[in-house]
Amino acid sequence: MSTLVFLEHHGDAIQKGSLGLLSKAASLDPDTSAVVIGSGVSGLASQAAAYGAAKVFIADDASLEAPLPQPRVDVIAALVQANGFDNVLFGASVLASDVAGGLSARLDAGLNWDLSDLAVEGGALVGKRSALGDTIVADVGWTSTPRLALVRSGSFEPAERSGAGAVESAAVSLQEFSGKATMLDQAHETASGPSIEEADILVTGGRGLGSPEAFAKLEELAAALGGAVASTRAVVDSGWYPYPTQIGQTGKTVAPKLYIGAGVSGAIQHKVGMQSSQTIVAVNKDANAPIFDFSDFGVVGDLHEVIPALTALVKERKG
Amino acid sequence: MKIAVCVKEVPDAGPGRRMDPGTMRLDRSGERSLNSYDLNAVEEALRLKEAAGEGEVVLVSMGQEKALESIRKALAMGADRAVLISDEGAAGSDLVATSYVLAKALEREAPQLVLFGQSAQDSDGAVLWASVAERLKLPMVSQISELEVAGGQITAKRQTEFGYDRIQSPLPAVLAVADSLNEPRYPSLKGIMGAKKKPQDVVKLADLGVEADRAGQAGSRTTVSALNPPPSRGDTVKIEDDGTGAQKIMAFLVERKFA
Ligand SMILES: Cc1cc2nc3c(=O)[nH]c(=O)nc-3n(C[C@H](O)[C@H](O)[C@H](O)COP(=O)(O)OP(=O)(O)OC[C@H]3O[C@@H](n4cnc5c(N)ncnc54)[C@H](O)[C@@H]3O)c2cc1C
Ligand SMILES: Nc1ncnc2c1ncn2[C@@H]1O[C@H](COP(=O)(O)O)[C@@H](O)[C@H]1O
């Protein structure tokens, strides 16, 4: 068996999720290689070797500077064709999902996503996949190689293990359509104020607030409880609340002692960022909202009534 | 401008939604509706058509024939017609097979724009557009929270793990939109009345030239071998607010020593 792990990097750092996946893959298959794709990325090879890669492929080219998926499909497809990898693994992200989806069609290779664990059984890779909003965990497999997998971020902690780390440069030859989409402005994280990752209590607002002004109600509750305010992607995309407060797959992963969600539906991409909260309380007017499936205490009701009333009760108790 | 929107009928969330332990496939016998994230894609297509003052919005879907009931909602919103690929031989299609079949249908339509929703609520895949774009050999942008179409190209803002990118692409292109992009309109009474009469083309795999071994289980490359319950979170309590909801939360917070 042989395995290739896609290593996603941002700036000079390989993403922690990619390194965790690499160490897991190397523990399952000694013949595990990694690939780093970008511009000016040769220096990243040593980081990969330290997490168990027997070989590190580097695709270094100006045309790969922007983190866009389609050129990466070209690079990885060529590597798979030349080296015959049995498994190609990705730590889930916006970029990696689009790369994996494209590669699946290019190679007619099966892709399983949302995997929380990987194992080798009878010489073949099998995965654990959470499905239907985590109401079921399926054992999934592949009927042909290469087997493509997207692993949920945070599934594996990076563990240092020595790999030979032989560095090899990968050919870069792009399809005509792969270069058509271009990056005008690339996202860069900006330092912000107090982080929601530090707070013991988070009051989270979603689109159910109805307007950016309604966040004031949550700020008041958070202040009364001694917590901070967090948000969902829907409200951040809409410009109602700043991106650094966003919980979820493309936001922060938090594990407060108390999470209170108001007007949050509990979409899976939000849930993955807050499911380790010790206690979860939800207020939502839709009794079928998925958030009730994983709340310790849920109230089906209008947040505009319940939240201010709760704030008043908390203030009253604190005197 | 001709715009194709890929839409899917999904089982409603809630206690009725489950996998069939016999077939290891999703049980599609209960209440169903159009994947709500696809309504954002339909809405955006309608707005682009309205802004251009001309064009056509075509819905493209693969699913059971009864999915037409759900698809009519998007026709009622204003889409012009629908193409539903419905064939016994397509049942159990995974990503490889689904993207192949949809690409065949889209090739026949040759639209300037292909729009997808942000994810299907039954698969949670959020990957299909990437496979379809690859098969169509078209540029692709996903997770779009702001979109501008002008002068034969699109400019899109999208969120990643690091904040917001701005990406440009020429047309034709494949785009996936976030649910924050717009607020889908409600169908008007007139729209609902008119939806039934709009063209609804139900096609078979053979009509699209899809070989039998490229669709359904035969065309798929992934399997499900077992279904297990997830680790339990312990007790969950859900109450209706009858005016005392806040007091009940307060009592719970006090019991857990948060207040
Ligand atoms: C690749 C990808 C990455 C993503 N990353 C993230 C991420 O990092 N974080 C994230 O949050 N999302 C993420 N999403 C988006 C996610 O799928 C959902 O779209 C989003 O979480 C929805 O946000 P919401 O709960 O605020 O809005 P909605 O889903 O619109 O929910 C609003 C809720 O408010 C309720 N409501 C309305 N009015 C009231 C009222 N008066 N009182 C009480 N309740 C009310 C409604 O019943 C509804 O349940 C991602 C999606 C994709 C495809
Ligand atoms: N069977 C289908 N027919 C048409 N479009 C689909 C189908 N399945 C998924 N889609 C589209 O692809 C998007 C993403 O689906 P997924 O990758 O399965 O989460 C959905 O929001 C729809 O726009």
Side-chain angles (χ1 to χ4, degrees), chain A residues 22-148:
Chain A
L22 173 59
S23 27
K24 176 69 182 182
S27 77
L28 294 174
D29 179 4
D31 190 5
T32 290
S33 303
V35 58
V36 183
I37 305 174
S39 175
V41 290
S42 313
L44 299 180
S46 59
Q47 290 184 40
Y51 292 89
K55 198 184 267 183
V56 185
F57 293 95
I58 299 283
D60 196 340
D61 193 271
S63 64
L64 301 170
E65 162 93 47
L68 290 169
Q70 290 171 304
R72 282 160 175 75
V73 174
D74 296 333
V75 171
I76 300 175
L79 277 178
V80 172
Q81 273 148 2
N83 298 275
F85 293 109
D86 298 304
N87 312 313
V88 185
L89 312 181
F90 299 84
S93 72
V94 168
L95 176 65
S97 297
D98 283 347
V99 177
L103 193 65
S104 167
R106 176 79 59 94
L107 304 174
D108 283 316
L111 171 63
N112 280 307
W113 54 83
D114 259 345
L115 301 187
S116 54
D117 203 6
L118 290 168
V120 174
E121 282 168 20
L125 193 70
V126 292
K128 291 268 176 223
R129 189 194 148 193
S130 302
L132 293 185
D134 289 353
T135 54
I136 206 152
V137 182
D139 292 351
V140 294
W142 294 258
T143 58
S144 65
T145 56
R147 311 175 188 97
L148 312 186

Side-chain angles (χ1 to χ4, degrees), chain A:
Chain A
M1 203 167 65
S2 63
T3 300
L4 180 68
V5 178
F6 171 67
L7 296 181
E8 184 168 350
H9 68 96
H10 193 73
D12 287 336
I14 295 178
Q15 295 303 294
K16 197 173 151 219
S18 303
L19 292 175
L21 180 59
L22 173 59
S23 27
K24 176 69 182 182
S27 77
L28 294 174
D29 179 4
D31 190 5
T32 290
S33 303
V35 58
V36 183
I37 305 174
S39 175
V41 290
S42 313
L44 299 180
S46 59
Q47 290 184 40
Y51 292 89
K55 198 184 267 183
V56 185
F57 293 95
I58 299 283
D60 196 340
D61 193 271
S63 64
L64 301 170
E65 162 93 47
L68 290 169
Q70 290 171 304
R72 282 160 175 75
V73 174
D74 296 333
V75 171
I76 300 175
L79 277 178
V80 172
Q81 273 148 2
N83 298 275
F85 293 109
D86 298 304
N87 312 313
V88 185
L89 312 181
F90 299 84
S93 72
V94 168
L95 176 65
S97 297
D98 283 347
V99 177
L103 193 65
S104 167
R106 176 79 59 94
L107 304 174
D108 283 316
L111 171 63
N112 280 307
W113 54 83
D114 259 345
L115 301 187
S116 54
D117 203 6
L118 290 168
V120 174
E121 282 168 20
L125 193 70
V126 292
K128 291 268 176 223
R129 189 194 148 193
S130 302
L132 293 185
D134 289 353
T135 54
I136 206 152
V137 182
D139 292 351
V140 294
W142 294 258
T143 58
S144 65
T145 56
R147 311 175 188 97
L148 312 186
L150 275 162
V151 176
R152 259 192 200 175
S153 76
S155 296
F156 307 115
E157 279 301 308
E160 297 218 18
R161 49 190 303 133
S162 53
V167 178
E168 197 172 311
S169 72
V172 179
S173 163
L174 306 188
Q175 302 269 330
E176 199 245 341
F177 68 94
S178 301
K180 283 194 171 165
T182 52
M183 184 71 74
L184 298 179
D185 261 319
Q186 190 188 325
H188 286 292
E189 251 165 331
T190 43
S192 59
S195 164
I196 58 166
E197 288 151 298
E198 313 298 322
D200 281 340
I201 295 179
L202 284 177
V203 181
T204 303
R207 189 154 41 190
L209 284 175
S211 72
E213 292 72 33
F215 265 99
K217 294 180 183 148
L218 303 191
E219 284 163 357
E220 226 183 299
L221 175 60
L225 287 167
V229 173
S231 64
T232 68
R233 187 183 79 174
V235 299
V236 171
D237 271 352
S238 304
W240 295 6
Y241 225 60
Y243 173 67
T245 65
Q246 181 185 313
I247 294 173
Q249 190 178 320
T250 51
K252 300 260 169 24
T253 300
V254 296
K257 295 200 171 86
L258 172 65
Y259 168 107
I260 300 179
V264 174
S265 63
I268 192 71
Q269 298 90 352
H270 184 75
K271 182 187 176 191
V272 294
M274 48 66 73
Q275 60 192 348
S276 305
S277 305
Q278 274 171 34
T279 300
I280 298 173
V281 174
V283 181
N284 192 307
K285 69 177 183 192
D286 174 7
N288 277 331
I291 196 164
F292 290 125
D293 296 341
F294 51 92
S295 296
D296 300 285
F297 198 88
V299 173
V300 182
D302 185 352
L303 72 91
H304 298 291
E305 288 169 19
V306 175
I307 296 294
L310 179 60
T311 307
L313 290 171
V314 174
K315 283 184 174 164
E316 195 180 287
R317 185 176 166 89
K318 300 219 159 153

